[in-house]
Amino acid sequence: FTLAEVLITLTIIGIVAAITLPSLLVNVNDKAWNAQKKALYARMSQAIGEMDSIGGYGSDDVQNSAETFIINGLSKVYRVQNVCNSKNLTACGIPSSIITINGNNINFPTSTEELNSEIINKDHATNTDAAAFETVNGESIALFYNPKCSSDSSSSSYAGKLFCVNMVYDLNGLKGPNEVGKDIGFLSAMYRSNSIVVAPVPLSTDLGDGIYQEDAVSACAKQDSDSRVPNKEELISLYINQKLIGNMDEGYYWSSTVTKASDNADDSYAWQVNFAGGNTFECAFSNALDSGDDGADRVRCVKK
């Protein structure tokens, strides 16, 4: 080879590397984050499951309820370090701003009201300050707490009343990209006792209007073969964290959870959450019209 040929070959290799390496690094990061998310969800589910109740911590001091829950509750079953209050979240590795799933840059919420003002109601959810902590595995977690949460998992109620704990985590602290769906995600614990923990990862776009619940499963499979319809607890979590998602439209969204009106009833019902500002958590006929006039509702698929 002549020197010119060697230089041309090296230039071509450099160009190809410059084109392919970024996508390879993204894929590597995505796989690592997905594995870390699953591990965090497994650890937190086990910890919450070991608690007799996750309700009532700090109920007389709503500003410090989240911090009280971490110190007096969660830390008894989960190894917690470096607890921070709402004014000092960055000291626990929580970024001051994050990028939502639809690409908007927002300030990190420091209270339940900033997370979702629609759920604040004297009978449903209390506006409490967030608190944060770090884990021994390197995650930073901001925790939002509702001391008024309900234990009733079966009634038609309000989405804001059924969640007790909502955690927004950052898998690598203050390092980038600080983007929801990548290094940032959320998980929610529902019901005061016999709690259920969910960690839905929504796709970036809705399926749109006009979908019947019975058609939602196949619609999700067409949108992404690795997705599915969220169950009712996951749908509540999406509602609570809709600000972090950034592009949830107004209206009713379907869940995959189907039940009967009574033991003797023939009609099946599917649970829904209204994203129109009323934070209602309702049920409707799974094979009939919704409560509106246009016949069918929206679906936001989540990753399997």
Side-chain angles (χ1 to χ4, degrees):
F1 293 100
T2 65
L3 179 60
E5 289 172 329
V6 171
L7 290 175
I8 291 172
T9 302
L10 292 175
T11 300
I12 294 173
I13 293 173
I15 293 172
V16 172
I19 293 173
T20 58
L21 276 178
S23 61
L24 289 175
L25 290 174
V26 168
N27 289 335
V28 169
N29 285 337
D30 285 345
K31 289 181 179 179
W33 286 329
N34 288 337
Q36 194 175 355
K37 288 174 185 177
K38 291 178 181 178
L40 174 62
Y41 169 68
R43 297 196 309 269
M44 200 57 67
S45 296
Q46 181 179 1
I48 294 294
E50 292 175 1
M51 300 179 66
D52 293 332
S53 173
I54 58 174
Y57 288 93
S59 57
D60 294 330
D61 185 4
V62 295
Q63 270 64 50
N64 296 317
S65 287
E67 191 173 357
T68 302
F69 173 81
I70 295 171
I71 295 172
N72 294 343
L74 187 62
S75 65
K76 308 301 182 185
V77 295
Y78 191 84
R79 192 171 176 184
V80 166
Q81 56 187 19
N82 193 26
V83 179
C84 306
N85 61 33
S86 62
K87 295 180 176 59
N88 202 27
L89 297 180
T90 54
C92 282
I94 300 298
S96 57
S97 64
I98 59 175
I99 301 172
T100 64
I101 285 180
N102 71 332
N104 290 334
N105 194 298
I106 63 170
N107 292 329
F108 194 94
T110 60
S111 67
T112 308
E113 186 171 28
E114 288 182 9
L115 179 68
N116 188 335
S117 61
E118 294 176 0
I119 64 176
I120 303 303
N121 182 292
K122 64 179 182 178
D123 296 320
H124 306 150
T126 302
N127 180 30
T128 60
D129 290 339
F133 63 93
E134 294 176 296
T135 73
V136 294
N137 299 91
E139 299 101 356
S140 299
I141 299 178
L143 188 144
F144 303 83
Y145 185 65
N146 176 24
K148 292 183 177 179
C149 61
S150 171
S151 294
D152 189 356
S153 62
S154 60
S155 67
S156 176
S157 185
Y158 289 85
K161 190 175 183 179
L162 299 182
F163 98 95
C164 297
V165 176
N166 191 74
M167 301 185 194
V168 180
Y169 58 80
D170 191 323
L171 297 175
N172 55 8
L174 298 176
K175 298 178 182 178
N178 295 329
E179 186 172 343
V180 181
K182 294 185 178 180
D183 58 331
I184 290 181
F186 49 85
L187 57 86
S188 307
M190 309 293 169
Y191 318 127
R192 178 180 293 257
S193 57
N194 298 319
S195 303
I196 296 175
V197 181
V198 294
V201 180
L203 301 188
S204 58
T205 57
D206 278 356
L207 287 177
D209 285 319
I211 298 175
Y212 293 95
Q213 198 274 348
E214 60 185 2
D215 299 324
V217 173
S218 59
C220 280
K222 290 179 181 178
Q223 185 184 28
D224 187 322
S225 60
D226 194 35
S227 72
R228 58 178 174 78
V229 183
N231 62 38
K232 69 175 184 178
E233 286 81 15
E234 290 171 327
L235 189 57
I236 295 173
S237 182
L238 295 186
Y239 175 80
I240 299 297
N241 294 283
Q242 60 181 291
K243 184 176 182 179
L244 308 182
I245 301 170
N247 57 346
M248 300 292 287
D249 291 319
E250 291 187 353
Y252 286 84
Y253 280 80
W254 288 116
S255 80
S256 62
T257 304
V258 178
T259 187
K260 290 184 178 294
S262 67
D263 292 337
N264 297 322
D266 293 327
D267 293 323
S268 294
Y269 294 82
W271 294 95
Q272 299 175 301
V273 171
N274 179 13
F275 283 69
N279 79 56
T280 51
F281 183 51
E282 301 179 347
C283 63
F285 285 110
S286 62
N287 59 353
L289 305 184
D290 67 352
S291 57
D293 296 325
D294 56 354
D297 290 323
R298 311 191 71 87
V299 178
R300 174 60 65 95
C301 308
V302 297
K303 294 182 180 179
K304 292 180 180 178

